[in-house]
Amino acid sequence: MTPEEEREFRHRQKSRNLALGGLLLFFAFLFYFITIARM
Amino acid sequence: MPADWRDFYALTKPRVMSLVIFTGLCGLLAAPGSINPILGFTAILCIALGAGGAAALNQWWEADLDAGMKRTSARPLPSGRLERTDARDFGIAISAASVGVMGLAIGWLAAAVLAVSILYYAVLYTIWLKPRTPQNIVIGGGAGAFPPMIGWIAVTGDITLMPILLFAIIFMWTPPHFWALALFVQSDYAKVGIPMMPVVKGERSTRRQILVYSILLVPIAIAPWLIGGTGAVYGIAALALSLAFLALSVPVAFRQSVAGDTMRPEKRLFGFSILYLFALFAVLVADRVLAHYGVVG
């Protein structure tokens, strides 16, 4: 893997991890609010 | 190289999803009764996720066909930006999540109908019928017809005649909408061997069938008003919109394309068909809001 490919690899990996983290955080909040709404 | 998150987003067919979200939201807002806004948001989110999951599974299965068509060759799978197994796993994961969350947060009837809609599109339509019959669009239209029904069920918790009629409207609308498109992109479908109506039965038959469905759409579209499920605002608007749809389908039905044809009547009908569905469902909600505040009926 060339340095450019390595950099692109890291960049994509990071953006996917951030997207997944954001998604998990969103669902954590959503489940919290669903629980409140159904009480 | 790991795929970009935007490729996963593209797998969900965001443009199709916008129509799914809109009709699902309209079904939810037009239903009698009320729903907590958080639960309403969750229901729409699940409908969108389910549609996205089914779209991802559709692209996983049709990656080879998509590669052969100009319109779809830039999608993440045919362009090689995404692995097929990643698309399959992503589709299964978000489909399962949508059904699970819908069941836990809203109710298991809505979740069951959502599951049926995903299986209907991903299995019945994509895998089984689309490559086998020129009636694929007629049957496949059912998949797109589920969202308003699910939105309605999320509020009421049961299946009555009204959500079935909302289903029927989109079911009847899909063939003329899609065949109008297929008439001006038919060479692409022929190239990859999909038995689309214009390819298999010819233009003449397709054009006549567009007219038949456009005629059938008129009584189906006004049926919610006729059975007393909506007020006159919806009834009159539905009648006017459906007659306009029919008027645009008549020139499509009685012409034959020639070499170098610009296909303007077909493109006009296709463009109007999108406006038609948005307007019809918007009026459905407006009618309900007006009735709620005692402005009419």
Side-chain angles (χ1 to χ4, degrees):
Chain A
M1 204 181 271
T2 64
E4 287 77 22
E5 284 175 335
E6 175 96 22
R7 211 166 23 246
E8 176 64 17
F9 186 96
R10 295 284 170 220
H11 174 72
R12 285 192 180 194
Q13 202 171 39
K14 190 180 172 190
S15 67
R16 271 179 65 165
N17 289 345
L18 282 172
L20 194 61
L23 205 63
L24 288 173
L25 201 64
F26 169 77
F27 273 104
F29 276 109
L30 182 67
F31 287 153
Y32 170 73
F33 286 117
I34 289 170
T35 308
I36 301 291
R38 287 184 64 94
M39 278 197 323
Chain B
M1 186 73 70
D4 197 283
W5 65 270
R6 280 172 283 253
D7 292 325
F8 286 100
Y9 176 68
L11 266 188
T12 62
K13 295 188 184 174
R15 278 175 62 191
V16 175
M17 199 194 276
S18 65
L19 193 63
V20 165
I21 290 172
F22 178 75
T23 56
L25 183 65
C26 289
L28 187 132
L29 294 174
S34 61
I35 185 168
N36 181 294
I38 298 290
L39 298 180
F41 170 78
T42 306
I44 297 303
L45 180 72
C46 290
I47 292 171
L49 277 180
L57 291 170
N58 167 277
Q59 287 179 70
W60 158 67
W61 188 260
E62 294 186 341
D64 296 334
L65 298 178
D66 284 349
M69 294 202 292
K70 193 177 149 201
R71 188 172 63 88
T72 52
S73 59
R75 284 177 176 173
L77 288 174
S79 61
R81 299 196 305 274
L82 201 61
E83 293 290 328
R84 269 183 99 149
T85 48
D86 284 350
R88 181 198 60 197
D89 297 346
F90 175 72
I92 291 172
I94 62 171
S95 298
S98 70
V99 174
V101 174
M102 181 74 101
L104 291 168
I106 311 298
W108 290 104
L109 179 62
V113 179
L114 179 62
V116 167
S117 74
I118 295 167
L119 291 172
Y120 191 108
Y121 185 71
V123 180
L124 187 75
Y125 171 69
T126 301
I127 297 177
W128 192 34
L129 293 168
K130 192 175 176 184
R132 283 178 176 79
T133 166
Q135 293 293 333
N136 49 21
I137 289 305
V138 178
I139 302 148
F146 278 106
M149 194 180 192
I150 300 167
W152 186 287
I153 296 167
V155 176
T156 63
D158 61 2
I159 302 174
T160 54
L161 188 55
M162 265 300 286
I164 293 170
L165 282 174
L166 298 183
F167 178 96
I169 288 168
I170 301 183
F171 189 80
M172 286 295 165
W173 165 88
T174 306
H177 161 76
F178 203 88
W179 284 334
L181 170 73
L183 279 171
F184 56 87
V185 293
Q186 58 176 294
S187 56
D188 252 5
Y189 286 117
K191 210 165 77 182
V192 294
I194 292 287
M196 212 47 83
M197 189 64 80
V199 178
V200 179
K201 299 286 181 185
E203 260 196 55
R204 193 181 158 83
S205 170
T206 306
R207 290 172 184 281
R208 294 298 156 87
Q209 289 192 64
I210 284 175
L211 183 63
V212 170
Y213 280 96
S214 302
I215 292 169
L216 290 173
L217 186 59
V218 180
I220 296 288
I222 61 169
W225 175 43
L226 297 178
I227 64 161
T230 69
V233 170
Y234 170 82
I236 293 164
L239 184 63
L241 284 165
S242 303
L243 289 177
F245 193 105
L246 181 58
L248 287 174
S249 72
V250 170
V252 173
F254 296 106
R255 73 186 287 270
Q256 197 70 28
S257 64
V258 291
D261 203 313
T262 57
M263 306 294 267
R264 278 186 70 180
E266 293 76 11
K267 287 176 181 169
R268 204 161 43 209
L269 177 63
F270 177 72
F272 181 77
S273 68
I274 297 168
L275 176 72
Y276 171 89
L277 204 67
F278 271 107
L280 194 73
F281 277 84
V283 171
L284 181 74
V285 175
D287 184 279
R288 168 107 180 107
V289 171
L290 291 172
H292 181 76
Y293 288 105
V295 180
V296 288

